[in-house]
Amino acid sequence: TGFNLASLRAIRDAAVEVGVESEALVPWERVRRAYDHYAETFFDPDGRPWYYSHTPWPIDPHAAAVAVLTHLAFADEVPEAAARAKRTLEWTIEHMWVEKGWFAFQKWRWGRIDIPYLRWCQAWMLLALAEWVAFEDKLGQGSPG
């Protein structure tokens, strides 16, 4: 869901760059309603990302990273989006970081799987962290936790 929303946001941006009316291509009101639904349905108040809309399990860094990227994609138009990205990033660092130096693969009710999968966990979290740092640099602020 987050990936689709960020993609729609990117299509709007690309449309402007090539001279196409973005509102005719991807109406903002519909994208904004979809983003609001995503933000209200796929997260706990503390920022924990949900894998599915009906259950948070499993929790994984890939879903968390996509969530951070999605929130940041909407940060220019949605005032609370940056705070949502920060909460999810901080939650993920606190609960999914393995002290040996990587993000755990998944967290379930019964425990955490600490396998360091490069493609689905580490690479996506690196991208989310890099985008967060770039976002904060743009604003002139410090980084989270």
Side-chain angles (χ1 to χ4, degrees):
T1 302
F3 181 80
N4 291 333
L5 287 168
S7 297
L8 289 170
R9 181 70 182 92
I11 290 168
R12 285 182 57 84
D13 291 345
V16 171
E17 292 297 319
V18 298
V20 174
E21 174 56 45
S22 62
E23 192 61 24
L25 190 60
V26 181
W28 172 248
E29 181 57 35
R30 290 183 181 176
V31 175
R32 174 61 195 263
R33 281 195 331 246
Y35 171 77
D36 289 343
H37 172 75
Y38 172 71
E40 293 165 10
T41 306
F42 285 86
F43 301 90
D44 285 344
D46 63 357
R48 177 176 77 161
W50 286 40
Y51 196 84
Y52 300 106
S53 63
H54 64 283
T55 179
W57 309 106
I59 299 166
D60 75 11
H62 183 249
V66 169
V68 170
L69 297 170
T70 301
H71 291 313
L72 290 178
F74 285 84
D76 288 340
E77 287 98 357
V78 181
E80 58 275 12
R84 290 171 176 160
K86 184 176 183 178
R87 273 194 308 273
T88 297
L89 191 55
E90 289 175 339
W91 188 95
T92 306
I93 291 168
E94 182 179 340
H95 296 278
M96 299 300 289
W97 182 252
V98 176
E99 290 301 319
K100 294 178 182 177
W102 62 79
F103 287 94
F105 168 58
Q106 288 182 334
K107 184 177 178 104
W108 292 82
R109 285 186 182 114
W110 43 261
R112 193 173 75 178
I113 302 170
D114 289 348
I115 298 170
Y117 287 115
L118 183 59
R119 188 201 183 301
W120 286 109
C121 302
Q122 312 325 305
W124 279 94
M125 282 305 299
L126 178 60
L127 178 60
L129 288 163
E131 289 294 326
W132 177 258
V133 169
F135 175 78
E136 285 198 327
D137 283 349
K138 182 175 79 172
L139 297 178
Q141 299 175 359
S143 53

